[in-house]
Amino acid sequence: MLLFYLLTFAATIQAQNQLLPGSCNFESNTCGYTSDADFTSWELHKDGRFVAVDAAIPEDQDDEKSADTGPQKETIGILLSPALEQGEWSCLRLVYQISGSGSLTVLQRTEGKSFDKPLWSSQEPSDSWVISSMDLQNNTEPYRVVVEGKPGGSPGSSVAVFEIHISPGYCLDCDFEESHLCGYSNQWNANVNWFVGGGGGQLLHNDMPNDHTYNNKTGHFMYVDSIYAKTFKEVAKLMSPMTMVPMYGCLSFQYQRSEERGNLFSVFTRDRLGQYQEMWRAGPENQSEWSRTLGEWIPVQVDLKAPYSVQVVFEVAFNSPRGGRVAVDDISFSPEFCSTDSEPTFDPSIANCDFESGFCHYSQDQGMGSWRRVSVKPNIFRNGDHTTGAGSFLLVHSQLNPNSGYVTRLVGPTLPGNMKFCLRFFFSLRGFNQTDRALGVYLQPQQKSSSQEKIWTQGEKSRGIWIGADVTFQTLQPSKVVFVSTCRSFWDCGSVALDDISVSLGDCELTAGMLSSPLPGHCDFEKGLCGYTQDKKNDDADWELRRGPTPTSYTGPRGDHTTGLGYYLHMEASPLLHGQRVQLLSSILRGSRGPQCLRFFYQMYGSGTGQLNILLSKDGEVALLWQRTGEQSMAWLRATVEYQSDSQHQIVFEAIRGSSVRSDIAIDDIVLESGPCTEMEIKATVGTSNEIE
């Protein structure tokens, strides 16, 4: 008995020794975590061993007055860890609870950078403690963990944190020796479920094996038993925590399996859309009795290629109560693939092209027509390219082809087989009577005996603006993406423009972003202002969210820059007087030692257009960073502004109304991030010619 307690104590000490600085169970203090004084304080509840931020309680007032007070001010609590220096990969596990309503976000704050890096976020309330895991990638600079709690406005809402564990290694790693099970969870089934085995206990049977970690009865592992299976193909699932960063490497684990004819043991990945993909399946081990495998754990290594968030799922299906048992232990991940023979991760960026410097890896079939790389100088009659508004794009036009009809084929590079891809591109149509053949996208297999498959066809008239298209497709064999434009008769055709083609791994819904919320400083206005605010003190009106054309003719855009069909922000000139202004403020930004880069798109079209200014507001003073005056172009133009500020500041977007109602000004797709601007702004003088070069 003494040996049992000594082994248990040793395992507990080992687990504690694995915890890194920044870990805290909030039992008697906050371990160096502090509340940001500019926000609501997190309170330490010593009796309950947790910290929490609660919804603000309005002052006592009668019901009649309460009904007239309007919305309550949002409560935000910011909890900051001490400075951490951990160069190796580590895993942060958070035990938390959101009561009532609210949200909890974890970010990483690196010294000298204005923006915190989002790691994880949740808005799901629960009746008990919940565990979540997030990988902390290699970091050569000191950083802090930022925990942002926002309790909802409903009475009794609160956000609480019970424990923060930071341990070396990956969040997929687990030996199941700790009570939190590394965030792994059983998907409950009425009859068959994964249980914790070992620990000296005897749950269902006396013949439980030794665990793999310590090779004794006190160590722990996960197992599932068929004894309670009642129907055909009962399924038990052990789910890993959801990965938060792309993962490429080797997944290893140990398993034991009895009665292989009575069960099916597989490992899958499951993405955020609930789609499963099999990674591995157990084969016959020529062992039919658990006793033969007692103490004989079988090692498995399988390549994991996850460009987006996934869970690893260990799934066992039984066909009867005599289906035996399956046990799993010591799951680990390595950033190196399992074998040198493993195919390297395919880089889909070889299929990306903005046509600024040529055709990239795209080529043309010699046929009756051809795509031409062209550019349009900023003008007031015709749109330029999508990339910058003044760059190059591809165009096929009935007037540019000598034949009355044509078929053009733009062929991309070869993509490997048995993979899912997301294709994104922008197109613009002008003058077509029927658009069904104006532009189509096909998948052309490498084997010439296989027929090509149509994966997208044009169904929306673009009205001469750039429209974004997303296409998810699966390659069964090595294939190429082909853009095809067909013109049967000169009189039925017009022009087809193509720009900004990109290909990424996975479903388009997944590759849109690892997080549901936009990155700090980024905004495409599809879901509001993204933390940017209207200036209520120093301007005369507000910027307006709009979709489609503005109310006044011959001014403003006809669609947004992001997709052509979404939202943008604009100053509506009609209700304003000459010289009146609107201002949009960024959130308060921390200073940084190095340069910052602001990129955005703007549209200044209209004979009476006024002025667009980018201002830096700091310490009560305002400095001009960038300015454009008068009509610029019918197209969305890209602006890049590099600046440096070593103290707190705000960026201000200021639009000033011009001499007439035809002076709408619009902005879209703001990106504000640390570091120098990698591309320079194209300085182009607006012209009156819309000729294609």
Side-chain angles (χ1 to χ4, degrees), residues 485-542:
S485 179
T486 304
C487 173
R488 289 181 174 178
S489 167
F490 173 87
W491 303 106
D492 290 333
C493 304
S495 64
V496 182
L498 193 61
D499 203 3
D500 291 345
I501 301 173
S502 65
V503 175
S504 54
L505 297 174
D507 194 293
C508 290
E509 289 189 55
L510 298 170
T511 58
M514 300 288 280
L515 293 170
S516 57
S517 57
L519 293 171
H522 292 51
C523 197
D524 59 12
F525 303 109
E526 299 305 312
K527 295 182 179 179
L529 299 184
C530 324
Y532 288 84
T533 56
Q534 308 274 7
D535 189 339
K536 300 296 185 181
K537 298 179 180 179
N538 301 314
D539 63 0
D540 303 295
D542 287 341

Side-chain angles (χ1 to χ4, degrees), residues 106-156:
V106 179
L107 309 101
Q108 190 175 31
R109 177 173 297 178
T110 303
E111 189 68 28
K113 292 188 177 181
S114 292
F115 297 101
D116 299 330
K117 176 185 176 183
L119 299 175
W120 169 89
S121 182
S122 177
Q123 298 180 355
E124 297 293 327
S126 66
D127 296 327
S128 59
W129 296 106
V130 180
I131 184 169
S132 185
S133 306
M134 57 215 77
D135 285 288
L136 301 175
Q137 296 173 311
N138 302 352
N139 200 337
T140 57
E141 300 181 25
Y143 67 90
R144 296 177 188 270
V145 173
V146 182
V147 182
E148 180 183 283
K150 295 182 181 179
S154 57

Side-chain angles (χ1 to χ4, degrees), residues 662-681:
R662 292 193 175 93
S663 59
D664 291 348
I665 295 176
I667 56 175
D668 201 3
D669 292 341
I670 300 173
V671 175
L672 183 54
E673 56 192 4
S674 300
C677 295
T678 56
E679 68 280 321
M680 297 303 294
E681 182 174 346

Side-chain angles (χ1 to χ4, degrees), residues 209-265:
N210 288 349
D211 86 316
H212 180 266
T213 312
Y214 300 114
N215 192 26
N216 59 32
K217 296 291 185 182
T218 62
H220 298 83
F221 55 90
M222 299 299 294
Y223 79 98
V224 58
D225 198 296
S226 65
I227 189 171
Y228 294 124
K230 294 182 179 179
T231 61
F232 179 73
K233 207 162 186 179
E234 294 270 14
V235 177
K237 295 180 180 180
L238 178 66
M239 319 280 286
S240 81
M242 183 74 73
T243 62
M244 292 290 138
V245 295
M247 305 286 284
Y248 296 96
C250 183
L251 182 72
S252 305
F253 61 93
Q254 303 280 337
Y255 82 98
Q256 293 191 19
R257 179 179 178 222
S258 71
E259 302 289 351
E260 76 275 1
R261 295 181 181 178
N263 62 64
L264 182 65
F265 178 33

Side-chain angles (χ1 to χ4, degrees), residues 178-334:
E178 296 190 61
S179 59
H180 55 61
L181 302 180
C182 320
Y184 281 75
S185 60
N186 168 69
Q187 183 172 300
W188 189 83
N189 181 297
N191 299 318
V192 292
N193 291 279
W194 288 87
F195 294 97
V196 180
Q202 298 177 354
L203 295 178
L204 295 176
H205 301 275
N206 296 322
D207 58 351
M208 300 300 290
N210 288 349
D211 86 316
H212 180 266
T213 312
Y214 300 114
N215 192 26
N216 59 32
K217 296 291 185 182
T218 62
H220 298 83
F221 55 90
M222 299 299 294
Y223 79 98
V224 58
D225 198 296
S226 65
I227 189 171
Y228 294 124
K230 294 182 179 179
T231 61
F232 179 73
K233 207 162 186 179
E234 294 270 14
V235 177
K237 295 180 180 180
L238 178 66
M239 319 280 286
S240 81
M242 183 74 73
T243 62
M244 292 290 138
V245 295
M247 305 286 284
Y248 296 96
C250 183
L251 182 72
S252 305
F253 61 93
Q254 303 280 337
Y255 82 98
Q256 293 191 19
R257 179 179 178 222
S258 71
E259 302 289 351
E260 76 275 1
R261 295 181 181 178
N263 62 64
L264 182 65
F265 178 33
S266 306
V267 180
F268 298 86
T269 57
R270 177 184 182 273
D271 61 34
R272 290 187 182 275
L273 300 179
Q275 299 171 341
Y276 284 77
Q277 183 171 354
E278 187 174 81
M279 299 172 58
W280 173 88
R281 179 180 296 188
E285 293 91 19
N286 299 319
Q287 299 162 329
S288 58
E289 298 295 334
W290 183 278
S291 58
R292 293 186 185 180
T293 66
L294 188 62
E296 298 177 16
W297 288 89
I298 301 171
V300 174
Q301 289 188 327
V302 58
D303 286 333
L304 173 64
K305 299 178 180 180
Y308 43 80
S309 296
V310 297
Q311 289 175 290
V312 176
V313 182
F314 296 83
E315 181 180 287
V316 179
F318 298 109
N319 58 17
S320 75
R322 296 182 298 279
R325 279 171 280 170
V326 175
V328 171
D329 200 5
D330 290 343
I331 302 169
S332 63
F333 177 80
S334 166

Side-chain angles (χ1 to χ4, degrees), residues 44-58:
L44 176 65
H45 294 244
K46 293 185 179 180
D47 55 340
R49 289 177 24 187
F50 63 90
V51 290
V53 56
D54 301 324
I57 301 176

